[in-house]
Amino acid sequence: MSWINFFFFVIILNTVTGTVAYLLCKLLTRIAEKAGAIRVIYLMYRLVLIFYIVPLGWICSCVRSYRRSGSILLGDSFYGNPLIFWIIQIALIVWIVGMIYGILRKAKEKVNERAAYRLKMQNNIPFRADWHREMLKRMYPHKNWKRVRFCTNFMMKSPVVSGVFTQTMIFPECRYSKPEMQVILMHEGMHIVRFDNLVKMIILTITYIDWFNPLLDPYLKEMDKWADISCDISVCNKFLGGKTKLYFDVLISARDPRRISMPAFVSQLNSKDSIERRMNYMIQWKRSGGRKLVSALLMATLIAGSSVTAFAASGQVATQQNDLYREIRVTESEAIGEETDQEIHFLPADQVDQEKWDNAIVYEEAALDPLTVQKNFTWTVPPDNFVRSTGFIKQKGGQIIVSCYLYSQLNHRVGIRRPDGSQLYVLGTHQITKTFNCESTGTYYVFVENMGRVDIKVSGYYIR
């Protein structure tokens, strides 16, 4: 069920858990603002990104499934029920078409902006910047500043940083005093060492994938806003001893009075309202202090609340999916009279490849309910090998019902091994449902033998 796993657990559940984390973060942001814990807000917004990109729900479901049945697969792709199968396929097609349409629409909107951006970049004039690199190395010694390019550009009205993996720091053609240049390098360098451009690019990519989520655009704007506020606080706290007058004097003098649209840029300083808002938050931060305890509690609340949602949602979806899977398989078996028309073959004990049988993969299947005799399984069978159940006791005159679906176009063996070592099996592919009679009392096994040269997957149940 690779498509169902991918669609529900990686896309749907990640969207749900990421959105819950974002909404919880907005609530905690208000608390942080009132408490004066301004510095932690950007960290919380970056933490939300983890719940959008790390498939915690899928991982949790795989672990639970492995502990229960020895397999990380849940159910199957519902090939046995055409209605549900095609509903899943249509949902996937709609998602893919929507994603392609969103990418093309965004690309069309950005054509003029990118053309203007390329025109501006053609006017970049590189310079050696030995003093700039030396200054940045002192400020941020763990960063390799040799890979960062420095340019001037007469079309730029404020310092900017472009690029995601290889950055270019661009300055307008104007003279800054040494203290002003130091502050500018502090600010732009902070964005580079924190990978703010990369974070924005990841969020932008997620907006293409989860195009049906209306909250991703507001999340991107919030991240952009708090990235600069956090940068202001970090620079003043780390280099200026909390003194903000010089810092904001430089930002105001360096800001661009016109709005310039450039992709993958940080710190354009192009809005008077933005500067005023950042100054207000800085003043609030200075008055309240670090608020480390409040910050730690807010981060812990965000992690705990979002994680509980991820694990609870994954468990509920996995349970409902397996319930639906079992209902479909039972309904399907009843519809076909519980048996397919494959002929039962007999293989004497002396003709069974005992070495291969002894090296077979053995799975512990979980009972559907605590006292039931029906076992649910999803096995991956290596080429030219057996996968079998654990042994179980059956009385003479009993029956073993095996119903499964083989994801293969070739014929394979599905059957039981009897107490005397002989085998009864049917040779077929796709849906197989067969009843085997027990002619003696002893230990029986259910097995699938892969007759091909590649791994196959088989999902179903047996009633012992």
Side-chain angles (χ1 to χ4, degrees), residues 190-395:
M190 182 65 70
H191 281 303
I192 292 175
V193 299
R194 296 193 313 183
F195 302 102
D196 286 340
N197 273 357
L198 178 60
V199 171
K200 292 181 185 180
M201 188 59 66
I202 292 174
I203 299 175
L204 185 61
T205 302
I206 294 175
T207 61
Y208 294 143
I209 297 174
D210 295 351
W211 54 268
F212 49 85
N213 186 351
L215 294 178
L216 279 172
D217 285 336
Y219 173 54
L220 180 59
K221 294 178 181 178
E222 291 289 320
M223 282 286 290
D224 202 18
K225 163 188 169 182
W226 287 104
D228 272 328
I229 295 172
S230 174
C231 183
D232 297 338
I233 294 174
S234 298
V235 168
C236 290
N237 183 63
K238 182 175 181 179
F239 300 109
L240 303 178
K243 299 178 180 180
T244 60
K245 185 178 185 305
L246 172 63
Y247 182 79
F248 279 106
D249 285 345
V250 174
L251 293 190
I252 292 173
S253 65
R255 76 176 179 86
D256 183 3
R258 300 174 300 173
R259 181 172 295 276
I260 301 175
S261 179
M262 284 180 272
F265 266 64
V266 295
S267 183
Q268 295 179 49
L269 307 176
N270 51 14
S271 170
K272 182 178 179 181
D273 293 337
S274 173
I275 295 291
E276 292 177 353
R277 181 174 62 249
R278 288 159 62 178
M279 291 177 67
N280 290 332
Y281 279 118
M282 180 70 73
I283 293 171
Q284 186 177 354
W285 166 72
K286 286 186 64 177
R287 289 176 178 175
S288 60
R291 300 291 186 183
K292 294 182 179 179
L293 179 58
V294 175
S295 300
L297 291 175
L298 291 172
M299 287 289 288
T301 302
L302 178 61
I303 294 172
S306 303
S307 299
V308 167
T309 302
F311 297 145
S314 66
Q316 185 65 24
V317 170
T319 299
Q320 291 182 357
Q321 182 181 328
N322 277 340
D323 289 343
L324 179 60
Y325 164 75
R326 292 195 294 268
E327 291 174 4
I328 288 172
R329 284 306 179 205
V330 171
T331 303
E332 179 183 280
S333 296
E334 292 173 352
I336 61 177
E338 292 196 356
E339 285 216 17
T340 48
D341 57 359
Q342 290 97 341
E343 178 185 357
I344 295 180
H345 300 272
F346 171 74
L347 186 66
D350 58 358
Q351 296 183 23
V352 175
D353 189 336
Q354 189 62 38
E355 182 179 356
K356 185 189 299 184
W357 178 265
D358 292 337
N359 294 326
I361 300 174
V362 182
Y363 285 106
E364 284 279 359
E365 305 83 11
L368 301 183
D369 295 302
L371 299 179
T372 188
V373 294
Q374 181 172 327
K375 295 277 190 172
N376 196 30
F377 63 86
T378 300
W379 294 339
T380 299
V381 190
D384 193 30
N385 205 345
F386 288 97
V387 167
R388 63 179 177 86
S389 69
T390 55
F392 53 90
I393 305 298
K394 287 290 292 184
Q395 299 293 325

Side-chain angles (χ1 to χ4, degrees), residues 31-96:
I31 298 174
E33 290 183 32
K34 293 181 179 180
I38 305 300
R39 194 174 182 183
V40 77
I41 295 177
Y42 182 58
L43 295 178
M44 291 195 298
Y45 274 103
R46 290 188 70 155
L47 182 63
V48 169
L49 188 60
I50 295 177
F51 292 94
Y52 272 116
I53 62 177
V54 178
L56 296 176
W58 180 79
I59 293 172
C60 177
S61 298
C62 288
V63 171
R64 288 174 49 158
S65 178
Y66 184 80
R67 289 179 177 177
R68 183 177 67 247
S69 62
S71 171
I72 64 172
L73 299 174
L74 300 169
D76 62 12
S77 292
F78 302 114
Y79 288 108
N81 189 296
L83 177 61
I84 294 183
F85 171 77
W86 283 111
I87 289 175
I88 295 297
Q89 302 308 307
I90 291 171
L92 292 173
I93 292 171
V94 170
W95 167 62
I96 293 173

Side-chain angles (χ1 to χ4, degrees), residues 344-348 392-400 416-425 435-445:
I344 295 180
H345 300 272
F346 171 74
L347 186 66
F392 53 90
I393 305 298
K394 287 290 292 184
Q395 299 293 325
K396 180 179 180 181
Q399 291 181 328
I400 301 173
I416 64 171
R417 185 167 184 178
R418 304 193 294 183
D420 62 359
S422 62
Q423 293 179 350
L424 296 178
Y425 65 89
T435 300
F436 299 93
N437 296 320
C438 301
E439 299 178 354
S440 61
T441 300
T443 301
Y444 287 80
Y445 304 86

